[in-house]
Amino acid sequence: MSWAMRVALLLVGGCSSEPSSSLELGDTASASISSTGFASSASLSSASTSAPAASTNPPGRSGIQPFVLIPDGDSPEPTPAEWASAPTFNTSTATGRDETCPIAVKREWVRFGCVGRMPTLVFGVPEKGFGWRANHAYLVLRLRRGDLFIIRSWTDSTDVYSRVAWPSDAAGPTVAETWRDPQGALVVEPQPVQPIPDVPQLGTERPRPADWLSGTPVNTAAEYRRPKSCELRVLRDWVQWRCSGSGFGYDRSSGFGASNVDLFMITGAGLRQGEARLKPGMSATLSLRLAIEAPATTIKIHWPVNEPKPSEISVQTASQ
C-alpha cells in the first residue's frame, strides 16, 4: 500500500523516550509504514543526475530495495555545487504525489527543498552534534541507519510533506516520498492484518523509527470492531500502535512494565502512538479516546506462559 496520507503534526509532545529515537522536535507517523517502488522526481531548478538502479542494492529485512547506497563513515556537508548535481528522488505512487519538492541525496546527506515554501522538521531527531540547517528554501540533514524524517513545507493554500526512511539493516534509505495534502489532517490507514508472528528472541533493543517498515501488521480483534484509523505492528519482541485522532482523553494502561523502559507513549495533535515490549505471561491493557465524543479505543495484549507468541494483540473500539 502506498504511504500516501494526510499529515498535520506541528507540535508533538509525550513521555520521554530514548535519545536516538525520541520525538523531541515534533513527530508524526505514517499512515502505513510500508513503501512502494521508486521513480525519480522532477529536479529543482539546478541539474539533477539519475539515481543508481535499485536492483543493484541489497535489500533490508523488509525486502525493500534501497534506492541509493550510503557509504560508511562520515563526510563533510555537501557544497552548493555538489547539491546542484546530486540525484533527486520521489518514491511516492500516491494520487497526491508532488513533483515540486524533490529530495536530494549526496552521500549520507539529504536535502529537502521546495521553491517558495519554508521546510520544517516535524518528525525525527537529527544526530547530536550536528542538528539541522534550514533556510527559506532548503533543509539539510545527516541521515543515519534507523532514521525516519518527515518534513512539512507549506504555503497559504496547501501543505507538501516529504519522508525519508533508512532501516537499520539496509544498505541505504528505502523510502523518499513527497506528496501534497490540501486538507492537512493525518489519517492512519491500516494494512491487511497477518497472523501474530513468533517471538524467537526476548530482550532486544527498542526498534529505531525506520525499522518499523519491516514490522508485521496485526489485529486479533473482530473485523467490525477494528478502528479504521488505528494500526498495530509487531517487530521482534516489540509492538507499536498508531491511531489518528485529536488527542483528547487520557491513556490508561496496566501490565506493560516500566515507563520509558518497556513502554513508550507519544501524544500529539492528531496522533496517539506508543511502543511496548512483549513478554511471556504478559496481560496488558491500554485505553484512550481519540476525540472528545468518540468511543473508547482499547489496546489489549495477552501472552500465555509457555506459548511461543501472544494469543491476542488487538486494538478495538466499543462501537464504530
Side-chain angles (χ1 to χ4, degrees), residues 15-16 256-265:
C15 300
S16 62
F256 283 96
S259 178
N260 301 320
V261 176
D262 302 308
L263 173 66
F264 299 85
M265 292 192 291

Side-chain angles (χ1 to χ4, degrees), residues 81-161:
E82 288 180 302
W83 282 126
S85 61
T88 59
F89 303 91
N90 188 354
T91 66
S92 176
T93 59
T95 302
R97 173 187 170 102
D98 187 271
E99 302 291 359
T100 65
C101 303
I103 300 168
V105 179
K106 188 70 174 180
R107 302 185 297 276
E108 79 273 25
W109 296 88
V110 59
R111 186 179 76 168
F112 302 86
C114 273
V115 177
R117 298 187 179 95
M118 176 70 74
T120 302
L121 179 66
V122 296
F123 185 106
V125 179
E127 96 175 333
K128 290 184 177 180
F130 172 72
W132 51 279
R133 304 180 191 277
N135 58 28
H136 68 284
Y138 301 110
L139 187 150
V140 177
L141 296 165
R142 172 174 262 153
L143 190 64
R144 298 299 195 188
R145 290 180 184 269
D147 280 345
L148 171 63
F149 292 125
I150 297 179
I151 309 301
R152 179 189 181 216
S153 303
W154 73 93
T155 64
D156 293 337
S157 59
T158 187
D159 291 335
V160 174
Y161 291 93

Side-chain angles (χ1 to χ4, degrees), residues 36-292:
T36 58
F38 84 87
S40 295
S41 68
S43 65
L44 292 171
S45 56
S46 58
S48 175
T49 59
S50 60
S55 61
T56 65
N57 302 339
R61 186 184 302 109
S62 64
I64 302 171
Q65 300 281 355
F67 59 83
V68 66
L69 295 175
I70 300 294
D72 293 330
D74 295 343
S75 69
E77 182 178 350
T79 65
E82 288 180 302
W83 282 126
S85 61
T88 59
F89 303 91
N90 188 354
T91 66
S92 176
T93 59
T95 302
R97 173 187 170 102
D98 187 271
E99 302 291 359
T100 65
C101 303
I103 300 168
V105 179
K106 188 70 174 180
R107 302 185 297 276
E108 79 273 25
W109 296 88
V110 59
R111 186 179 76 168
F112 302 86
C114 273
V115 177
R117 298 187 179 95
M118 176 70 74
T120 302
L121 179 66
V122 296
F123 185 106
V125 179
E127 96 175 333
K128 290 184 177 180
F130 172 72
W132 51 279
R133 304 180 191 277
N135 58 28
H136 68 284
Y138 301 110
L139 187 150
V140 177
L141 296 165
R142 172 174 262 153
L143 190 64
R144 298 299 195 188
R145 290 180 184 269
D147 280 345
L148 171 63
F149 292 125
I150 297 179
I151 309 301
R152 179 189 181 216
S153 303
W154 73 93
T155 64
D156 293 337
S157 59
T158 187
D159 291 335
V160 174
Y161 291 93
S162 301
R163 180 183 75 145
V164 169
W166 182 2
S168 298
D169 61 345
T174 59
V175 174
E177 298 179 325
T178 301
W179 68 98
R180 182 179 299 270
D181 177 25
Q183 299 185 25
L186 173 67
V187 174
V188 175
E189 299 178 2
Q191 287 189 309
V193 300
Q194 301 178 27
I196 297 173
D198 289 345
V199 183
Q201 183 180 0
L202 299 175
T204 67
E205 292 185 359
R206 181 186 178 193
R208 297 271 287 134
D211 295 342
W212 287 103
L213 271 77
S214 56
T216 302
V218 302
N219 192 353
T220 57
E223 187 171 357
Y224 73 95
R225 297 283 297 276
R226 298 172 186 169
K228 294 180 175 60
S229 60
C230 289
E231 72 169 2
L232 293 165
R233 282 180 177 267
V234 172
L235 180 61
R236 304 192 305 270
D237 57 331
W238 288 85
V239 61
Q240 182 193 68
W241 57 87
R242 261 198 310 276
C243 291
S244 174
S246 53
F248 292 102
Y250 296 94
D251 293 324
R252 299 179 181 179
S253 64
S254 63
F256 283 96
S259 178
N260 301 320
V261 176
D262 302 308
L263 173 66
F264 299 85
M265 292 192 291
I266 301 97
T267 298
L271 177 70
R272 309 301 292 273
Q273 177 176 317
E275 299 165 16
R277 191 187 305 274
L278 298 171
K279 297 180 180 180
M282 180 180 190
S283 183
T285 302
L286 182 145
S287 62
L288 57 140
R289 196 172 298 275
L290 302 179
I292 294 178

